[in-house]
Amino acid sequence: MSSPILSASARGATFLILLQVSSRLLTFICNQILLRHLSPIHLGVSARLELFSITILHFSRESLRVALQRQTQSLQSVINLSYLALFTGIPLTAGLAGLWLLGGGDADGSVPKGIFFREAVGVYCLATVMELATEPAFSAVQQKLLYKIRASAETVATLLRCLGTCGSAIWASRMSVEVGVLPFAVGQLAYATALLVVYTWKTWPVAQEEKVSLLLRRLPEEEKKEKEETETTARPVLGLFTIPLLRLTGSLTLQSGLKYILTQGDSLLITTLATLSDQGAYALASNYGGLIARMLFQPIEESSRNLFAKLCSDSTPIPPSSSPLSKPYQPPTQTETETETSSSQTQSLDQSLTILTTILHLYTLLSLLILTLGPPLSSPLLSLVAGHKWLSTPAPAVLAAYCYYIPLLALNGVTEAFVAAVATSPQLHIQSVYMGAFFLIFGASAWVFIAQLGMGGRGVVAANSVNMGLRILWNGVFIRRFYVERGMEVDGLAGLPSGYSVAGAVLVKAAMGQAKMPAVLERYGVLGELVYGGLFAGVLVLYVGACERAFLARCWVMVRPGRRVASERREKRVAMGAT
C-alpha cells in the first residue's frame, strides 16, 4: 500500500472511533430523556419500527456494500451499482409496509390507536427511502476513503435524530398532546434528511473534481471498449452496470440473508410472540445490560482475538501416533531447528491457554458480583435512571433476569473470539451449521417460555440464555479439542473461582434477602437502597479479593512488564541456587 492510502486509513479509523463514541453518548442521553415520557408499550412499538427499518436497509444495501468494497472498479460504475439499493428498496418498503400493517406489526390489534402506529410506519417508509438515496454518495465516499465526510454526515444526522425525537416528545408532554410513537418517526426522518443533505453537499464537489456524476450515467465509451476487448462477459448491462459486480452482489445476497436471520432472528421472534409491554421491558433491559457488554467485554474480545491469532497462527495438530498424550515418551529424532520451532510453538500455545483461562477466571469473578448484587439492585437502579413509573411495569423483573444472562454473554464472547482467531474455513462452516441449529432451539424455547408459560420478557431472556449456553458448550468442546490435538492438556476447572469465593457470594446474597435496611437509610428512598446494597458489595469485593489474592497477584504480574521480568529473574536465581 502507498503512504497516502495508509494515512487515509489511519485518519478514517480515528474518525470512525470518535463517531462511535459520540453516537453512543448522544443515543444514551436521548434514551434517558425519552424514558421519562414513554411507557413500555411505546418502547415496544419503537422496537418494531426499528426492526422494520433495519430489515429494509439490510436486504437493500448489505450485499451491495460488501461487493463494492471487495472489487476495484471505476468510481462511476460503483455509483451506478449503488442505485440498485434504491431500486430494490422502494418496492421492498412498500411490500413490507403492507405486510407489517396487515399481517405483521399490527395484525393482532395489540397496538392502541393512540400510538399512531400506522402514521409512524408511513414516516419510517419515507425516511428509509431517503436513507437509501444516500447510497451513491456513500459509495463514492467509501471508494475515495473520504472518512471525514462520513463522520461529519453521521454525526450531524445522529444529533438531529436525538433533537427531533427528544424535542417532539418533550413538546407533546408539556402541551398534553398524545403523539404516541411519532417522536421516533420524527427523529428517524430528521436522521435520513441530514444524511441525504450532508452527503450530497459534501460529495458533489468531489464528483465534479473526479469528473463523475452522483446520478446514473452511462459508462464512458473508452471503458466499454476496453472491457469488450479484454472480457466480453464484462460488457456493461444497459451501459450502466458491470457484470462482475452484479455477479458478486448476487452471490453475496444469500450470505446476507443468512446473516440477517442469525442477527435479527431473536427480534423477529420477540415481535411475534411477546406483547408490546414485554417487548418494551426487554428492550430497556437489553439496552442497559448491553452497556456492560459494549464497554467492557467487547474491547477485551477484540484485543484477545488478535492476540490468540498471533499466538496460535503457526500451530499444527500433532498426529495421534506422535502425540505425547497418546503414547509413552520416546527420545526425540527432530533436528535442532525443528526442535526449536516446536518448542517455540509449544510456548506460544501454553501462553495462549494461560491467557484464555485467566480471562475466563476474571469473567467468572465478575459474574459472581453481577449474580449476587444485580438482581436485588435492579429495581432501585431502574428507578434512578428511568423514573419511578417503570417500577410498575415488567421492566424490573426483566432487568433482574438479564443479570443472569450477562455472564453468559461474557463467556460466549471470549470463547467465540478464540474460535474466530484459530478456526479454519471448514471449521467455520461447521460452526455456522451448529449456530443455525442452536437458533432453531432458541426459537422453540422462546415459544415455550413466552407462548406457553407466559413469562413475557423474562421468557425472552431465558430463551437467549439457552441459545448462549449451547454456543458456549460448542466453543468449549472446540477449544479443548484444539489444544488436545496439539499435545496439551486442558484443565476445565482452571477458569472457575475458588469454592470459598462462591460460598461467600451465596452467603452475601442470602444476607441481602433476609436483612432489613436500617431506618436511617430508609429515609433516603432509592439512594438509601443503593447505599445499603453498596455496603454488601464492598464486603463481597473485599472477601473475594482476599480469597483470590494469589490469582489477582499473578494477573498484576502479567499486565506489568517490569514486574514480570523481575519475577522471572527471581525464579531463575532460585533455580540456579537449587542447582
Side-chain angles (χ1 to χ4, degrees):
M1 286 189 180
S2 62
S3 180
I5 295 178
L6 289 174
S7 178
S9 300
R11 289 196 304 270
T14 303
F15 284 129
L16 294 181
I17 290 173
L18 293 176
L19 171 64
Q20 187 180 37
V21 173
S22 61
S23 297
R24 287 181 177 176
L25 179 60
L26 287 172
T27 304
F28 180 78
I29 295 174
C30 178
N31 289 337
Q32 295 307 114
I33 297 173
L34 288 174
L35 288 175
R36 304 284 176 171
H37 303 276
L38 298 176
S39 67
I41 293 181
H42 289 83
L43 201 58
V45 175
S46 70
R48 291 189 180 186
L49 293 171
E50 184 178 0
L51 179 62
F52 171 79
S53 178
I54 289 174
T55 302
I56 297 172
L57 294 174
H58 183 92
F59 284 101
S60 299
R61 71 187 187 187
E62 183 69 21
S63 57
L64 274 173
R65 285 187 171 185
V66 176
L68 294 177
Q69 290 174 0
R70 291 178 55 176
Q71 291 287 327
T72 302
Q73 299 285 336
S74 67
L75 185 57
Q76 188 62 56
S77 63
V78 167
I79 293 174
N80 287 351
L81 191 67
S82 63
Y83 272 92
L84 292 181
L86 190 61
F87 297 156
T88 58
I90 291 176
L92 181 60
T93 301
L96 190 60
L99 292 175
W100 215 252
L101 294 174
L102 300 177
D106 197 22
D108 54 4
S110 60
V111 181
K113 293 183 178 180
I115 296 295
F116 297 102
F117 180 73
R118 292 177 176 271
E119 293 80 0
V121 168
V123 177
Y124 262 80
C125 289
L126 176 60
T128 303
V129 172
M130 292 180 64
E131 189 169 348
L132 289 174
T134 65
E135 283 302 298
F138 175 86
S139 301
V141 166
Q142 289 292 100
Q143 191 78 359
K144 302 300 294 183
L145 302 178
L146 302 174
Y147 295 104
K148 187 175 182 179
I149 295 179
R150 177 181 173 184
S152 60
E154 296 191 13
T155 300
V156 173
T158 303
L159 178 61
L160 289 182
R161 176 165 57 187
C162 293
L163 292 177
T165 306
C166 294
S168 56
I170 295 173
W171 173 84
S173 177
R174 290 183 176 181
M175 300 298 293
S176 300
V177 178
E178 179 60 43
V179 292
V181 293
L182 287 178
F184 293 98
V186 171
Q188 190 68 19
L189 183 61
Y191 178 83
T193 303
L195 279 183
L196 183 60
V197 171
V198 176
Y199 265 124
T200 304
W201 176 43
K202 292 283 189 178
T203 312
W204 197 267
V206 177
Q208 296 294 323
E209 182 180 351
E210 297 290 332
K211 297 181 179 179
V212 297
S213 174
L214 293 179
L215 303 175
L216 276 174
R217 174 188 287 180
R218 296 178 66 87
L219 296 178
E221 292 297 327
E222 308 81 48
E223 181 178 351
K224 289 195 295 183
K225 290 179 181 179
E226 180 181 353
K227 289 185 178 295
E228 290 173 4
E229 294 174 358
T230 56
E231 185 182 358
T232 57
T233 58
R235 191 175 303 165
V237 177
L238 302 178
L240 299 172
F241 311 113
T242 57
I243 289 181
L245 275 179
L246 288 174
R247 286 177 175 172
L248 181 59
T249 303
S251 64
L252 291 173
T253 300
L254 181 60
Q255 297 180 14
S256 176
L258 179 60
K259 180 182 177 182
Y260 175 82
I261 293 175
L262 293 176
T263 56
Q264 300 296 332
D266 57 343
S267 299
L268 293 171
L269 288 174
I270 292 166
T271 301
T272 304
L273 299 175
T275 64
L276 284 175
S277 181
D278 290 331
Q279 291 176 44
Y282 178 76
L284 181 67
S286 61
N287 284 336
Y288 283 125
L291 285 177
I292 300 177
R294 289 190 295 268
M295 292 187 299
L296 179 61
F297 300 149
Q298 186 175 357
I300 295 176
E301 293 165 14
E302 292 178 357
S303 58
S304 63
R305 185 185 301 113
N306 295 331
L307 186 59
F308 291 144
K310 291 179 181 179
L311 292 175
C312 304
S313 60
D314 296 332
S315 65
T316 55
I318 299 175
S321 59
S322 60
S323 174
L325 299 180
S326 61
K327 68 174 188 176
Y329 173 80
Q330 295 180 357
T333 58
Q334 296 172 305
T335 63
E336 183 177 353
T337 303
E338 292 174 339
T339 303
E340 292 178 356
T341 303
S342 176
S343 176
S344 175
Q345 293 179 1
T346 302
Q347 184 177 3
S348 297
L349 285 173
D350 184 67
Q351 187 177 5
S352 68
L353 182 59
T354 301
I355 293 173
L356 178 60
T357 54
T358 300
I359 295 176
L360 291 175
H361 198 156
L362 288 172
Y363 276 1
T364 52
L365 291 179
L366 181 61
S367 298
L368 280 181
L369 302 179
I370 295 175
L371 295 176
T372 304
L373 305 172
L377 297 179
S378 58
S379 292
L381 283 173
L382 186 62
S383 176
L384 182 65
V385 300
H388 292 283
K389 68 177 183 179
W390 283 89
L391 297 181
S392 59
T393 70
V398 177
L399 185 59
Y402 203 89
C403 293
Y404 296 98
Y405 177 60
I406 293 175
L408 297 177
L409 278 176
L411 297 178
N412 179 72
V414 68
T415 52
E416 281 199 349
F418 184 91
V419 173
V422 305
T424 61
S425 294
Q427 290 171 337
L428 290 176
H429 290 314
I430 295 174
Q431 184 193 26
S432 298
V433 173
Y434 274 93
M435 294 303 107
F438 295 158
F439 175 76
L440 295 178
I441 297 175
F442 162 75
S445 59
W447 178 78
V448 172
F449 291 134
I450 301 173
Q452 301 302 310
L453 300 180
M455 295 176 61
R458 293 181 296 113
V460 178
V461 178
N464 275 323
S465 299
V466 171
N467 180 30
M468 204 62 64
L470 292 173
R471 292 166 65 172
I472 293 172
L473 180 61
W474 191 92
N475 295 335
V477 172
F478 176 90
I479 292 171
R480 185 182 184 281
R481 182 180 300 170
F482 174 85
Y483 283 108
V484 169
E485 288 177 349
R486 285 153 181 81
M488 299 184 64
E489 294 184 355
V490 179
D491 184 7
L493 303 178
L496 299 179
S498 66
Y500 295 105
S501 299
V502 176
V506 172
L507 291 175
V508 169
K509 189 175 183 63
M512 291 184 69
Q514 297 295 328
K516 184 179 180 181
M517 186 169 59
V520 65
L521 293 178
E522 287 183 354
R523 293 182 297 178
Y524 295 95
V526 175
L527 291 179
E529 292 184 52
L530 293 176
V531 172
Y532 183 64
L535 295 177
F536 285 97
V539 171
L540 180 59
V541 169
L542 292 176
Y543 175 78
V544 172
C547 295
E548 305 286 342
R549 59 185 181 278
F551 167 72
L552 296 176
R554 291 196 299 271
C555 293
W556 177 252
V557 171
M558 288 177 64
V559 299
R560 300 287 293 180
R563 293 180 179 270
R564 183 170 64 248
V565 172
S567 176
E568 292 175 353
R569 289 176 178 174
R570 285 196 299 269
E571 292 177 358
K572 288 181 180 180
R573 287 198 297 268
V574 171
M576 292 176 64
T579 304

